[in-house]
Amino acid sequence: MNFWQLASDVVFRLFRRFESIGAGLHLRRGRYLVVAFPMLWLGLFFLAPLLIVLKISFAEPEIAQPPYTPLVQMAAEGEYKSSVTISTEGYALIKDDSLYRDAFFNSIKTAVISTILALLIGFPMAYAIARARPDR
């Protein structure tokens, strides 16, 4: 199965799922598109890169360019096949090497501080917007 067949199958299944939900709610086809485009956008720009990075994190390291085993390899018949080999060597470095451990915990600390600051700024602003009178 090539990429375009796989992509069209995903879109077809997505619309079929929306049709089963819409049958009970009596939604029209135009409303499916309102939901489908944001879901495709999130799948394309959030879920796909996340899965690629997850695969790279479990890939076997190589001394080459790129420094990990390939994500997709060509089969003998000319079709694509996934090369799924799981290695935890990268995660062992976090435990064993202080440089990687410090970088990991610094990134976690930065993420926690950023989240707290966003919540401290965002919730009062959202509350003020929700409580504002419409005539202003």
Side-chain angles (χ1 to χ4, degrees):
M1 179 178 282
N2 68 21
F3 173 76
W4 295 111
Q5 289 172 336
L6 183 64
S8 65
D9 186 49
V10 167
V11 170
F12 176 74
R13 288 175 190 254
L14 183 67
F15 277 109
R16 215 169 71 202
R17 174 76 176 143
F18 290 142
E19 286 176 357
S20 67
I21 292 171
L25 300 175
H26 303 293
L27 296 176
R28 293 191 309 246
R29 183 177 290 280
R31 293 187 183 181
Y32 297 139
L33 295 176
V34 171
V35 176
F37 285 127
M39 289 188 72
L40 289 172
W41 182 268
L42 286 174
L44 183 65
F45 292 108
F46 178 73
L47 189 60
L50 181 67
L51 292 175
I52 291 170
V53 169
L54 185 65
K55 195 287 182 193
I56 289 171
S57 76
F58 286 112
E60 293 181 15
E62 287 185 350
I63 299 178
Q65 195 57 272
Y68 50 85
T69 54
L71 182 63
V72 177
Q73 293 178 345
M74 289 292 285
E77 303 85 35
E79 293 198 10
Y80 293 103
K81 70 174 188 175
S82 176
S83 63
V84 180
T85 54
I86 295 177
S87 172
T88 58
E89 291 178 39
Y91 292 102
L93 285 174
I94 294 174
K95 183 182 69 150
D96 297 337
D97 194 346
S98 66
L99 176 69
Y100 292 109
R101 185 174 46 248
D102 292 343
F104 176 74
F105 286 121
N106 280 337
S107 66
I108 296 295
K109 183 176 76 172
T110 303
V112 168
I113 291 171
S114 302
T115 302
I116 290 170
L117 287 175
L119 290 173
L120 288 175
I121 294 169
F123 272 118
M125 188 171 291
Y127 182 75
I129 292 170
R131 302 290 294 170
R133 292 189 304 204
D135 62 339
R136 285 188 175 183

